[in-house]
Structure formats: structure tokens, C-alpha cells
């Protein structure tokens, strides 16, 4: 089945053709039986779910897509990630050819503001055990990852590394080359905490504090633009300490690479699932989302990739070894803070402008 899925992923023309052919067959059969084809809708044979690919898609397959296919007979086809601009163009041009998609939660919040999403049907999706941040009107979070501090173990150890973001952004207290993600979201949050903004009062972000923090480390700063690059900068020793997403350094650390990281003062970030307005298989999309937030399936997901569940009952199904790897396990969540997705939906454009101006200054 994996080979078939991959074949479809790499051939968007085949996906569209298959959907159109199957739809035509279903409609023709219904017309012969009932004489009223317009009121009969066949269950789709496949659904298309754009996502981030890689290890995340493999975890989605094992934890969610395969159980959903066993339950419904509907095969899930992956597709390349769609950002905000692509979703907006697709909906506004009445050309929606995907069913439900995986997208960064800040982008999901922005799409909701623009009125481009179907509301989540919480009569189908059980939100009774979801984290408070997870069940939004137009999107649902499906995991919890973390933007964390990592360090090269040839330079620092757990005792000598910066103990918090204040130390990270203070080159007089801790010497060394730093790295950050070259994007305003996440980076400005940790920079504000580095300037002294309390994590429980992080929004609205004190931008003056954040940019003062960036000013302090500018001579010692290396930017990264992809998760792989962020991890490699620390692992390869090009920087002594930097920010990464926990999933990017989990395996290298376990494989013996000179890298370690901490969940202390982490910023939680999430994948969300959204249904674009006009999606043809909305009912089945809600059923897939319901499958994705079931406790057992969430636990399976967290065993496959070190991202935490949004269903709190899933923690009861995980052993201590797995819990130690998850950003939002009870042990690791004591000093972390959730990103505020609505803040970025509301303030994103003006904050991006100021961030880009600082980069050019």
C-alpha cells in the first residue's frame, strides 16, 4: 500500500484522474438504480491530504491513515504541503481538490480569519479530552512539538549550557556562536523571553525587548532557514548553541551525535488540520479528523515520532521512556509555553515587516 501511495504522491495528474473517474462511475451507477443521480453521493475511494511529508507523514500513515482505511475503506493519498497562499488561491478560485490538510497552526489561524475554512464538526470530532488549545472553531491541533534550545556537547554540557533564554541572549554571561530560525514567529517569542518578558505574559510580544535581545547577539548570530539546517549547525559545531525543533535532534542525539537539548522554557508549536471551504468530502474529512484525535491513535503517533498528543487520555497509554521524549508530557511541560496562534493571525504582517527591516539594518 505504501508503494501505491507514493506513486500517487508523485503523480498529481493520476490523483485527479482517479478521483474524476471514480466519481463518474459512482454517479452513473446511482442514475441507473434510482433515476435521481443528483441526490446520491457515493463514498469516495480515496481522499487527498497534503502534509509536511518525511517522518511526519510516515507517523501519520501508521497512526491515522491506515486505521482510517481499515475502518472506512477509504485510502488516504498524501500530497505536498500547501501554505496559506496556495490554500487561499485554491478556495477563491473554486478549485478545491483536496479534502483535509495538515498545516502549521499559525497558518490555520490566518486562514480562519480569512473565512477560507469549513467549521470543525465537534459533533463528529470528540473534543472532550483535548487540550484547551486544540479544539478551535475552524481547525484542530493534532500534535505538540517544541522550539527548544540545543547545544553542541563538545562546547557545553548540561551544567555549563545557557540555563534559560536570558542567558542565551547574553554573550557576556555565556560566550559562543548562536543560531536562530530566520523567521519572526517562534524566534521573537524566545527573544522576548531573553529580554525578560515572563512566559506567562508573553502575548502581546514586547517587540522592543525582543529586538534588543537580537541586537545583543547579532555579531555572534547565524541564521537557519530549514529544520535540517538548524540541527546541522549545532551537530556540526558551526554554532555552540541554537534553536531547533525537538524532532530534528532527537534521533541524532540517540545515534551519538554531539548534540543535546532541553525542554526547559520551550515554546510549543503545533500541526493543525483544516478543511478548506468547498471541500467535496467534508463529512469524511471530519471522520478522519475524529480518527486522528482518538487517544489510542494519538499514542501510536507519539511512539512513532517525538511529538506529544493533544488528547490527554493518550498520556495514560504511553510508557515512561516514551513520555520522556515528548515536549508536553507532565514531566517536560513545567516551564513551557504554548504559541499564541491568534496573535500571529492578527499581528503577523506588521511584525514581519519590522523583523525584515531589522534583518536589513
Amino acid at each position: 500500500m505504501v508503494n501505491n501511495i507514493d506513486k500517487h504522491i508523485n503523480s498529481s495528474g493520476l490523483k485527479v484522474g482517479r478521483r474524476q473517474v471514480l466519481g463518474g462511475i459512482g454517479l452513473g451507477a446511482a442514475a441507473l438504480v434510482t433515476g435521481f443521480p443528483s441526490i446520491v453521493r457515493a463514498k469516495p475511494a480515496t481522499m487527498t491530504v497534503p502534509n509536511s511529508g518525511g517522518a511526519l507523514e510516515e507517523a501519520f500513515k501508521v497512526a491515522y491513515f491506515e486505521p482510517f482505511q481499515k475502518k472506512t475503506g477509504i485510502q488516504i493519498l498524501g500530497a505536498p504541503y500547501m501554505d496559506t497562499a496556495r490554500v487561499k488561491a485554491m478556495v477563491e478560485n473554486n478549485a478545491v481538490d483536496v479534502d483535509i490538510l495538515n498545516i502549521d497552526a499559525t497558518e490555520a489561524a490566518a486562514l480562519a480569519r480569512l473565512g477560507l475554512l469549513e467549521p470543525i464538526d465537534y459533533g463528529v470530532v470528540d473534543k472532550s479530552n483535548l487540550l484547551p488549545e486544540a479544539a478551535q472553531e475552524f481547525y484542530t491541533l493534532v500534535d505538540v512539538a517544541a522550539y527548544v534550545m540545543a547545544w553542541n556537547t563538545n562546547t557545553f554540557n548540561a551544567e555549563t549550557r545557557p540555563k534559560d533564554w536570558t542567558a542565551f541572549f547574553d554573550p557576556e554571561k555565556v560566550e559562543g556562536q548562536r543560531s536562530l530560525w530566520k523567521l519572526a514567529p517562534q524566534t521573537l517569542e524566545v527573544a522576548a523571553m531573553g529580554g525578560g518578558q515572563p512566559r506567562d505574559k508573553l502575548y502581546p510580544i514586547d517587540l522592543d525587548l525582543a529586538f534588543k535581545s537580537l541586537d545583543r547577539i547579532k555579531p555572534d548570530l547565524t541564521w537557519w532557514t530549514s529544520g535540517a539546517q538548524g540541527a546541522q549547525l549545532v551537530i556540526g559545531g558551526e554554532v555552540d548553541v541554537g534553536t531547533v525543533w525537538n524532532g530534528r535532534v532527537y534521533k541524532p542525539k540517540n545515534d551519538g551525535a554531539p548534540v543535546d537539548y532541553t525542554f526547559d522554557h520551550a515554546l510549543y508549536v503545533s500541526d493543525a488540520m483544516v478543511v478548506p471551504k468547498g471541500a467535496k468530502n467534508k463529512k469524511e474529512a471530519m471522520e478522519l479528523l475524529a480518527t486522528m484525535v482518538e487517544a489510542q491513535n494519538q499514542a501510536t503517533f507519539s511512539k512513532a515520532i517525538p511529538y506529544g498528543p493533544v488528547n490527554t487520555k493518550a498520556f495514560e497509554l504511553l510508557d515512561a521512556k516514551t513520555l520522556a521524549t515528548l515536549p508536553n508530557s507532565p514531566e517536560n511541560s513545567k516551564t513551557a509555553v504554548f504559541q499564541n496562534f491568534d496573535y500571529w493571525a492578527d499581528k503577523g504582517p506588521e511584525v514581519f515587516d519590522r523583523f525584515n527591516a531589522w534583518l536589513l539594518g
Side-chain angles (χ1 to χ4, degrees), residues 51-299:
N51 62 78
S52 300
L56 184 67
E57 183 175 52
E58 290 304 313
F60 277 175
K61 286 179 182 176
V62 172
Y64 308 135
F65 298 169
E66 292 174 3
F68 182 72
Q69 182 174 0
K70 288 180 181 176
K71 184 166 61 177
T72 66
I74 300 172
Q75 184 183 15
I76 301 299
L77 308 178
Y81 187 85
M82 299 181 73
D83 61 16
T84 307
R86 291 186 63 192
V87 177
K88 184 173 186 291
M90 178 178 68
V91 174
E92 291 183 344
N93 287 288
N94 196 28
V96 177
D97 61 354
V98 302
D99 299 295
I100 181 172
L101 55 96
N102 155 229
I103 195 166
D104 179 84
T106 56
E107 293 188 284
L111 290 169
R113 287 282 194 282
L114 295 170
L116 300 172
L117 303 177
E118 299 283 357
I120 302 300
D121 185 351
Y122 286 107
V124 175
V125 180
D126 181 4
K127 65 177 182 180
S128 59
N129 294 309
L130 300 187
L131 297 173
E133 296 85 356
Q136 302 291 328
E137 183 177 3
F138 290 96
Y139 62 93
T140 304
L141 306 185
V142 290
D143 60 39
V144 178
Y147 188 66
V148 300
M149 186 190 305
W151 58 91
N152 186 289
T153 54
N154 292 325
T155 304
F156 294 120
N157 57 41
E159 296 301 318
T160 60
R161 56 95 174 174
K163 292 298 188 297
D164 53 29
W165 295 116
T166 301
F168 180 96
F169 285 96
D170 187 346
E172 293 184 0
K173 184 178 293 184
V174 180
E175 295 182 355
Q177 190 72 16
R178 273 84 159 159
S179 61
L180 290 166
W181 188 24
K182 197 176 184 180
L183 203 69
Q186 302 178 39
T187 292
L188 288 181
E189 276 100 330
V190 298
M193 286 190 278
Q197 187 165 7
R199 66 175 185 275
D200 59 349
K201 297 178 181 177
L202 188 53
Y203 297 95
I205 297 172
D206 187 327
L207 296 174
D208 291 337
L209 270 184
F211 284 105
K212 285 180 182 175
S213 293
L214 294 177
D215 286 339
R216 282 197 294 273
I217 64 167
K218 197 168 189 177
D220 307 309
L221 179 57
T222 301
W223 293 107
W224 52 268
T225 57
S226 71
Q229 183 189 16
Q232 187 54 44
L233 283 172
V234 180
I235 294 168
E238 293 179 62
V239 302
D240 302 298
V241 60
T243 54
V244 295
W245 293 302
N246 69 292
R248 290 288 183 175
V249 284
Y250 168 74
K251 187 173 187 303
K253 175 186 173 182
N254 287 346
D255 290 344
V259 63
D260 201 355
Y261 61 98
T262 179
F263 288 119
D264 291 348
H265 311 287
L267 181 71
Y268 288 158
V269 295
S270 290
D271 287 288
M273 299 302 293
V274 301
V275 179
K277 184 165 282 187
K280 295 178 178 62
N281 299 311
K282 189 169 66 174
K283 174 177 176 292
E284 289 78 11
M286 297 300 169
E287 291 172 353
L288 173 58
L289 182 53
T291 298
M292 295 182 76
V293 299
E294 287 178 7
Q296 184 59 62
N297 295 334
Q298 287 258 301

Side-chain angles (χ1 to χ4, degrees), residues 290-334:
T291 298
M292 295 182 76
V293 299
E294 287 178 7
Q296 184 59 62
N297 295 334
Q298 287 258 301
T300 301
F301 176 83
S302 291
K303 291 176 184 174
I305 191 169
Y307 296 152
V310 297
N311 187 324
T312 57
K313 291 293 183 183
F315 290 117
E316 300 170 9
L317 305 175
L318 295 167
D319 60 29
K321 185 177 179 182
T322 302
L323 289 171
T325 70
L326 303 181
N328 62 330
S329 66
E331 179 182 354
N332 292 330
S333 62
K334 295 173 183 173

Side-chain angles (χ1 to χ4, degrees), residues 182-184 188 211 223 351-359:
K182 197 176 184 180
L183 203 69
L188 288 181
F211 284 105
W223 293 107
V351 178
F352 280 127
D353 286 346
R354 183 169 175 180
F355 184 74
N356 291 332
W358 185 89
L359 290 174

